[in-house]
Amino acid sequence: MKTKKAHGLLLQALTGFALAALLGGAALSDEAAPPPAGEKEPAPARAGAAGPVERATVGAVRFLSSRNYTRVTIDLSRAVLYETHRLKEDPARGLPPRIYIDIFGAQLGAGSREPIPVRDGLLRQVRVGQFSSDVVRVVLDASSVVSHQAFLLPDPYRLVVDIHGKGDSNGPAAAPAAKKLAPARAPKGNGASEIAGIRKIVLDPGHGGKDPGAIGFGGIAEKDVVLSVAKKLARKLRKEMGVEVILTRNDDRFISLEDRTAIANAENADLFISLHTNASPNGEARGLETYYLDNTTDEAAIRLAARENGTSRKNVSDLQFILSDMVQNMKLEDSITLAHRMHGSLVAGMSKKMGEVRDLGVKKALFYVLVGARMPSVLVELFFITHRDEGRLMARDSYQDALVDALYDGIRKYGETATAMKTL
Ligand SMILES: [Zn+2]
């Protein structure tokens, strides 16, 4: 078996070279490789792949979790090569099932390195240590058999590890989330109805806190407009559809993109809707567009995603290849349907209110905030805040109310489509 393993590692090393070329440092995962026999296995020498670069510093480790899902995020000072491994339970040594991540060319940053207790039913704790002079190892001690998926996001660099319970089907049927995490939470709906199994929706008002998003005509900030629209939409959904609605933020605060998705996953939401306003250096640009997550070659969509991701255009196009596995695991068909329902309602509803709107269509792009979402998920760009008329109108209550009515209508239509599909 030694030969086979060496072969597996060689393949990984080659993948690592390819990715290193893309990222200047890189990510790779070992899903196809056989797991090593134990933690004593030396990690393969990998420093050469990244070249003679400064070592990455491994910073804070945090997590968001529920009973059947945990997202662990590891802060990094720069891009890294990493490998994930899975270890079976070892009763003889009193060891639980483990997942460990070796981060190459890395050193531990300052701060406490005590084990971080999680105890959410999936993970017991997270341990971080300097495994060798050049390798930092992060060990996730599991409580049960889990599956995992890891990916690297830039600006700032962080390694995100999603952990799922084995019983977790990729959908909303699993048990409700434990109340371990504390996202901005609002009262439950009146439970009057439930359309096509939609019982919980996470609305994500983009940006917040130190990140104002786009600044529009007359100094209006995207973060304020989308928060106001999200709150109004939440009220309407609770009241008229009787669903539970959770906002990723209820006030003006900063939340990382990966934490927003983690809230939706941990809450086991049925839909995830991220609300933004569009912006352009061209003051004439206007209209509505709605996005779902997928790879694209469209230059404008890549530039928009770069702006919303807070990263460069190059990082977005590079990451497309690395994240394509993640995209394929998602509810793509449902997300496309949701995007079309919401977009159609927005264009129709706002045309009625404003006389005419520019329909920029349903598009795809790599938005970090949608990566790893386990439910139908879309990102809506509500008009151009930088356009003289659209920016001014979006600050008005009556136009926000019209947007809310149109968004609500789209969600309801999606629910009805899903119902019709289920009863075929
Ligand atoms: Zn935005």
Side-chain angles (χ1 to χ4, degrees):
M1 292 309 286
K2 204 75 185 164
T3 327
K4 193 178 171 198
K5 185 160 84 189
H7 182 60
L9 290 172
L10 176 64
L11 281 178
Q12 289 173 50
L14 289 173
T15 316
F17 278 119
L19 296 177
L22 281 173
L23 275 179
L28 71 158
S29 159
D30 77 331
E31 294 297 340
E39 276 183 68
K40 290 275 190 265
E41 287 283 334
R46 189 60 62 76
V53 287
E54 195 186 319
R55 287 199 296 177
T57 303
V58 175
V61 175
R62 55 187 188 277
F63 68 93
L64 253 169
S65 72
S66 68
R67 209 165 57 197
N68 223 19
Y69 169 79
T70 308
R71 174 168 276 189
V72 178
T73 305
I74 302 152
D75 286 339
L76 300 163
S77 63
R78 51 175 293 274
V80 293
L81 287 162
Y82 67 92
E83 278 184 358
T84 64
H85 296 271
R86 186 199 303 261
L87 293 173
K88 288 200 178 108
E89 186 178 9
D90 186 350
R93 294 168 63 201
L95 293 170
R98 281 145 292 154
I99 291 164
Y100 70 83
I101 303 115
D102 280 342
I103 302 170
F104 300 98
Q107 62 190 7
L108 277 178
S112 162
R113 291 300 166 186
E114 292 294 306
I116 302 157
V118 181
R119 297 192 202 101
D120 58 3
L122 282 185
L123 296 186
R124 295 181 186 180
Q125 60 180 4
V126 179
R127 294 179 282 136
V128 187
Q130 190 79 46
F131 180 70
S132 69
S133 64
D134 212 30
V135 178
V136 171
R137 177 168 287 185
V138 181
V139 182
L140 312 179
D141 289 323
S143 304
S144 54
V145 180
V146 296
S147 61
H148 69 280
Q149 225 167 4
F151 56 96
L152 191 67
L153 294 178
D155 291 330
Y157 279 97
R158 64 271 201 205
L159 184 58
V160 180
V161 188
D162 275 345
I163 305 293
H164 297 279
K166 273 295 183 204
D168 184 20
S169 65
N170 185 24
K179 302 305 178 195
K180 179 129 190 166
L181 82 170
R185 182 182 293 275
K188 285 189 171 191
N190 60 15
S193 66
E194 184 179 287
I195 296 177
I198 299 174
R199 42 168 192 81
K200 193 189 280 189
I201 298 174
V202 169
L203 297 180
D204 173 44
H207 313 279
K210 67 183 180 187
D211 170 18
I215 300 296
F217 199 80
I220 179 177
E222 174 180 6
K223 67 175 182 178
D224 297 325
V225 172
V226 293
L227 179 60
S228 174
V229 170
K231 283 181 170 176
K232 287 169 185 267
L233 179 57
R235 272 199 295 276
K236 189 174 174 80
L237 285 165
R238 288 182 194 121
K239 189 165 164 237
E240 296 182 27
M241 208 184 270
V243 294
E244 187 178 351
V245 183
I246 290 156
L247 270 63
T248 53
R249 63 179 180 98
N250 260 313
D251 50 22
D252 185 17
R253 72 177 66 196
F254 178 80
I255 300 175
S256 71
L257 297 174
E258 66 273 16
D259 280 358
R260 296 168 190 256
T261 334
I263 289 170
N265 284 347
E267 286 288 346
N268 209 15
D270 301 306
L271 301 178
F272 178 65
I273 298 165
S274 191
L275 297 171
H276 292 256
T277 65
N278 222 325
S280 172
N282 170 11
E284 299 300 309
R286 62 189 178 94
L288 293 161
E289 57 189 0
T290 305
Y291 282 86
Y292 58 91
L293 179 74
D294 206 347
N295 295 328
T296 183
T297 53
D298 182 77
E299 236 346 278
I302 291 173
R303 275 201 306 272
L304 173 68
R307 184 166 57 71
E308 296 290 16
N309 293 341
T311 189
S312 68
R313 186 216 154 279
K314 183 176 183 306
N315 272 333
V316 172
S317 51
D318 288 352
L319 270 175
Q320 289 200 143
F321 301 99
I322 292 155
L323 293 178
S324 57
D325 281 353
M326 305 282 303
V327 172
Q328 281 161 18
N329 286 332
M330 296 175 49
K331 303 221 157 200
L332 187 58
E333 288 305 318
D334 290 340
S335 297
I336 294 171
T337 305
L338 177 63
H340 279 279
R341 293 293 170 274
M342 294 194 68
H343 188 73
S345 291
L346 268 174
V347 170
M350 296 315 292
S351 297
K352 221 179 281 176
K353 173 87 181 167
M354 299 164 74
E356 184 256 334
V357 297
R358 188 166 292 170
D359 178 0
L360 300 174
V362 172
K363 298 174 178 174
K364 54 188 181 175
L366 191 96
F367 291 102
Y368 296 171
V369 72
L370 301 181
V371 174
R374 311 253 298 172
M375 67 289 302
S377 54
V378 296
L379 185 145
V380 186
E381 294 282 352
L382 300 166
F383 291 123
F384 281 76
I385 201 166
T386 43
H387 185 271
R388 171 187 286 267
D389 297 333
E390 292 189 351
R392 205 162 34 87
L393 293 177
M394 262 190 298
R396 287 194 196 161
D397 263 332
S398 68
Y399 280 82
Q400 290 186 5
D401 290 343
L403 281 171
V404 165
D405 287 347
L407 289 164
Y408 172 85
D409 192 48
I411 294 168
R412 193 177 48 77
K413 284 197 173 116
Y414 170 79
E416 286 167 3
T417 311
T419 305
M421 295 301 286
K422 274 188 182 170
T423 51
L424 277 178

